[in-house]
Structures are given as C-alpha cells and as structure tokens.
Amino acid sequence: MDASAQTPYLPLAGRRILLGVCGGIAAYKSVMLLRLLTQAGAQVQVLMTEAAHAFVGPATFAALSGRPVLTDFTQGRTGQWNNHVELGLWANALVIAPATAATLAKAATGQSDSLLLATYLSARCPVLWCPAMDLDMYAHPAVQANLNTLAGFGNLVLAAADGPLASGLTGQGRLPEPEEIFEAIRGLVCTKPAWQGKRILLTAGPTREPLDPVRYIGNFSSGKMGYALAHEAAARGAEVTLVSGPTDHTVQSHRITRIDVTSAHQMADACLQAASESQVWIFCAAVADYRPEQVSETKTKKTGNGWNISLVENVDIAATLGKQKQPGQLSIGFALESGLGQAEAAAKLERKNLDLICLNSLDQPGGSPLGADDNQYLLLGKGGKQTPLARNAKAALAAQILDEVEKLF
Ligand code: C5P
C-alpha cells in the first residue's frame, strides 16, 4: 500500500476536551498540549483565567483550537453569555494545565468567581488537575491539602515534575511535559471497559548480550512498537508492566511500570516475576536468540588473529511462559521473518502456545521495520484465522493489534 493512502491515526477523534489555562509561566506549555490534542483529532475549547492572559495571548490558543478563547461569563456588552453549564456538559474531559495555587484553592472550596471555576463545578466529565508553581508553594501543606481535597472529589491530580523552575530554584513544581499530560488525558477519554484494570505484561526493545565490559551483541530493534502498545493499552485503562531493553523511549503514562533490563536473561527473570499476575502477555521485544558462551571480565585485547565467539542459545521467554499459561491468560507474540514467513509464524504460534502472532517481514515494500515509524502485519490466530493490517504508523497498528486482542478476551 502506498504510504500516502494511510488513514491518519487520530486517537482522540470525536473527543471534546476543555483546556483550562491559569496564570502561571508554565502556560506556554499548554500551547504544545493543545497542539497534541488537536493533532490527535480532539475538539478543544480553551478557557483562560484573567491572569493567564498575562502569559500567553489568547490568539495563540484560538488559532490552534479553531475556537475563540473564553474567559468571562459574558462577551463585552453584547449580552452574550458563555454558558458554563453547557460547557461542562459538552466536554468528555476537563483539564486544567497549568493549575495555579489560587485556582486550586478556589476549586477545592467550591468558589466560582471565574468562568473556568464555574465550569469546573458544573462539569460531569472526568477532571485532570496539572498543578505548576514554585517548589515551596507546591510543598506547602495548604496547597497539598487542596490537591488532596480535589483528588477526594474523584479528580485526577498529576503530580508536578521535578527539575529547574522559572524562579531559578530546582525542585518539584514543574508542569509535566505536554506528552505526559496528553497520555493522562487519553487515559481519561479512551478507557474501554474490557481493558480497565487488566494487567498486561509487555516486553519491548532489543536485548544486549555482553562479550566483555565494553562490547555486546545486540540488534536494531528501537522499541517503538512495544512502547506504542504499552501506551495504547494504558490509554484503554490497563495497568502495564513494561519490561524494556535499552531504548531511547520514555514512559509517559502513570499506568505503565517500566522495568529496565539489558540481557535476555534479565528480561526472562523480570517476565517470570510478573507473568502470573498478568492476564495478557505481549512479547514484542527482539530478544537475542544467542549469547556469548564466555563473558570476559576484562576488555578483550586485539591479537591480530581475529576473534572466534562461541554462542549458546538463550531461554525463549514466550515459549517458557507458554508452558505455564493458565485458562484466562492470553499470550501474544511477534515474528519478524525474511520473505513471507507465514509457515514459520504459524509454527511459532503453536510452539510458544500463543493465542495470536503478529507477523511482519524484512522484505516488505517499506524495507525493514526495525526502527521505522511504519510497518504492516499479518495477524495469525488459532484455527488459521488471518487478519492483515495495512501499512500504517506503529501507533495506529498498536491500536489495531489491541482491537484483535480484545476479541480474544
Ligand atoms: O523465535 P522468534 O525469536 O522469531 O520468536 C519471536 C517471538 O518470541 C517474539 O514474540 C519474541 O518477543 C519472543 N521471544 C522470546 N524469547 C526469546 C526469543 C523470542 O520471548 N528468547
């Protein structure tokens, strides 16, 4: 399939988000958040407090959201009323980012002297608070008490991040990065009952098999597909244990617990620990099939005679766990093959006791999928069921694969 024919992946299509922006320096990050939301297909209505206007111009938010920004209860002297009740009912989620100490305090005590606060009191949708302020303000018991009060109302509170602050001080108080807030919003508006509370064990990335203190045998896996699956499962409401080989990716969702490993042996140990409590296992990692038989404790010196390395086979994590799979547990594997590879993938499905295997090829038109942004799959299920997934972004494919997994629940 031609890349231009891909369906754009819009995980927030049809979702309506109210983005409340308060008067703090972190308001500049809300612009990026708005961009992420609209690019993901969400409709966004921005509500700025009066104080926020001192930090970012409303035209920026209006242009990016395609809607006038709302701040006041009425529009000038036109008599037009910005109906906070309608706004509250319209939204699938209300996000306040950044939330200042003043707005938090007012919300915690039910005050409604701004359109944003009145909308908060009227909203029936999930609410996400993203506080941002200087470290001593953030740590103050009064602010923490207000955050606890809001959490007690059933609102989600995203903890402020640690790091350099606009004041020059360093500590907890930063607005989390827009990507993290975006994932938290996805987690509010994309939950699916089938996934809520399910525990997923997911492997991702490459493994490295050491030869000596400075060298290893590895592979070109980037971890992109595994991390896309982890975030998609988390957005649907699952609790994900992500056992990750070395990658450049970061976890953006509070529903993902990442366990960093290096070698296949370490990955196997981490998986064995988490397997019994997980209902779905997804083996997306490119686990090294072999490791050097000898690992030198010192750096191996050049001799001028070449270097013969003897390799021994690593444990097959999917196959090992496949032997202890219980009724109600699902195991999903991947197969990267040269050529078509259907017979090989079908044999792996059987041998590793998988319920679904996602076959992708090194010889597909787009070239090797390792490290690429796009891929295409043929999903093979039990009983010979085949589901082709056309070439698409890995994030889109992650959603399609989880749709197929969901059919197996
Ligand atoms: O046999 P092959 O490596 O092609 O199988 C690929 C599938 O098995 C993937 O799902 C991969 O994550 C998993 N696997 C594993 N442990 C290994 C090798 C592969 O879990 N040692």
Side-chain angles (χ1 to χ4, degrees), residues 335-359:
L336 175 59
E337 307 291 343
S338 296
L340 286 179
Q342 284 192 33
E344 289 89 341
K348 284 175 191 176
L349 180 83
E350 194 76 29
R351 180 157 44 85
K352 303 188 189 213
N353 193 16
L354 302 170
D355 298 280
L356 188 74
I357 191 157
C358 311
L359 166 63

Side-chain angles (χ1 to χ4, degrees), residues 203 283-285 287-289 315-318 333-334 337 348 352:
T203 67
F283 301 106
C284 190
V287 188
D289 289 323
V315 57
D316 189 312
I317 305 166
F334 282 72
E337 307 291 343
K348 284 175 191 176
K352 303 188 189 213

Side-chain angles (χ1 to χ4, degrees), residues 221-279:
S221 167
S222 66
K224 205 171 278 174
M225 190 65 205
Y227 277 68
L229 283 161
H231 285 90
E232 181 64 36
R236 292 175 185 215
E239 297 294 329
V240 181
T241 302
L242 173 64
V243 183
S244 175
T247 76
D248 293 334
H249 297 281
T250 49
V251 163
Q252 304 292 349
S253 169
H254 60 283
R255 293 201 185 119
I256 302 176
T257 306
R258 170 168 154 178
I259 301 174
D260 285 313
V261 296
T262 307
S263 66
H265 185 74
Q266 291 169 351
M267 187 172 272
D269 280 352
C271 288
L272 284 167
Q273 291 256 332
S276 63
E277 65 188 28
S278 307
Q279 290 87 54

